[in-house]
Amino acid sequence: KQEVTQIPAALSVPEGENLVLNCSFTDSAIYNLQWFRQDPGKGLTSLLLIQSSQREQTSGRLNASLDKSSGRSTLYIAASQPGDSATYLCAVWNSGYALNFGKGTSLLVTP
Amino acid sequence: DVKVTQSSRYLVKRTGEKVFLECVQDMDHENMFWYRQDPGLGLRLIYFSYDVKMKEKGDIPEGYSVSREKKERFSLILESASTNQTSMYLCASSANSWGRNTEAFFGQGTRLTVV
């Protein structure tokens, strides 16, 4: 069974810093990998989807990379802002029909 | 924009009640999913459906059932609610392209409390 791990579990940074969130998975036979953001008490917002044939995707200040062979993905956030404070979740699609999630990284960006 | 709408943001139900959680998506997606989210346990898959009237058990289906009579609607049913089903319930949908799932979109969540 696919296991998805996110490190660190929590992170606090001052505003303006660049930061990296990590995601690792045990089964490299993935179809896609998706990064989400979740604000407290809310649903998940899709940030980026990386197809298995891609190495990275970018959206604004966010850049996600994928290395299937090593079972790793990173989410890079440039010039962090207090509004980036949220929980970030990594999830992978395998040959089944549902996403397998990590437990998330809780990010706090302080002014 | 893709929209996945869950019928309630908050629900309070009594132990033993039959509870219906409704989810509707407006993008003609083939696949729909129900997850529950609990502190320390993350998101766990309850059931999913890849077509009308089709359903597959996820990791924790006990105590739940689902219904998908129309493509846009996926209902989660708690047959007899218990306090250990107090949780955040999240519905999601995705398209199926060449046998692979595309981007998943989630609803706003339903916070269910069973007393």
Side-chain angles (χ1 to χ4, degrees):
Chain A
K1 186 182 186 298
Q2 177 75 270
E3 299 289 337
V4 181
T5 303
Q6 292 187 247
I7 294 173
L11 181 63
S12 180
V13 300
E15 182 177 5
E17 271 204 12
N18 303 323
L19 58 102
V20 174
L21 307 181
N22 296 295
C23 172
S24 61
F25 45 94
T26 54
D27 182 353
S28 62
I30 66 170
Y31 286 162
N32 304 319
L33 184 143
Q34 195 167 353
W35 282 93
F36 295 89
R37 168 188 173 133
Q38 186 177 31
D39 293 293
K42 302 286 180 64
L44 277 63
T45 299
S46 178
L47 297 174
L48 290 163
L49 173 76
I50 309 178
Q51 308 276 358
S52 60
S53 57
Q54 296 175 318
R55 297 299 296 269
E56 65 179 81
Q57 280 283 356
T58 298
S59 176
R61 294 182 293 110
L62 305 180
N63 176 276
S65 68
L66 173 63
D67 184 344
K68 274 183 57 178
S69 60
S70 67
R72 294 178 188 275
S73 176
T74 61
L75 179 67
Y76 175 83
I77 302 177
S80 58
Q81 302 170 358
D84 294 330
S85 298
T87 297
Y88 290 82
L89 293 153
C90 164
V92 298
W93 295 102
N94 282 97
S95 58
Y97 286 93
L99 282 166
N100 288 297
F101 281 88
K103 293 185 179 176
T105 294
S106 178
L107 173 65
L108 177 65
V109 181
T110 55
Chain B
D1 278 355
V2 174
K3 195 117 188 207
V4 179
T5 304
Q6 295 182 228
S7 53
S8 305
R9 286 292 310 278
Y10 302 96
L11 274 180
V12 180
K13 296 292 182 180
R14 295 196 179 278
T15 301
E17 275 193 74
K18 191 168 186 175
V19 180
F20 293 85
L21 303 183
E22 306 285 346
C23 176
V24 177
Q25 50 95 3
D26 66 357
M27 283 301 292
D28 202 36
H29 284 170
E30 291 82 9
N31 308 316
M32 296 189 75
F33 311 86
W34 276 105
Y35 289 86
R36 64 177 282 178
Q37 185 178 32
D38 301 286
L41 297 177
L43 277 90
R44 294 179 292 167
L45 180 68
I46 306 172
Y47 268 96
F48 63 99
S49 168
Y50 51 90
D51 202 352
V52 176
K53 297 193 186 293
M54 304 301 289
K55 60 185 179 184
E56 293 285 342
K57 292 180 180 179
D59 299 320
I60 52 164
E62 296 78 19
Y64 303 95
S65 63
V66 290
S67 173
R68 192 161 181 206
E69 296 297 319
K70 294 186 177 181
K71 192 175 185 180
E72 67 271 18
R73 186 179 298 269
F74 193 35
S75 303
L76 180 68
I77 304 156
L78 284 66
E79 298 292 342
S80 177
S82 64
T83 54
N84 63 12
Q85 292 178 311
T86 292
S87 186
M88 170 72 100
Y89 288 87
L90 293 159
C91 174
S93 72
S94 73
N96 192 342
S97 176
W98 297 96
R100 297 187 175 192
N101 286 287
T102 58
E103 189 173 6
F105 296 90
F106 278 77
Q108 76 276 30
T110 296
R111 172 70 66 184
L112 173 67
T113 303
V114 182
V115 298

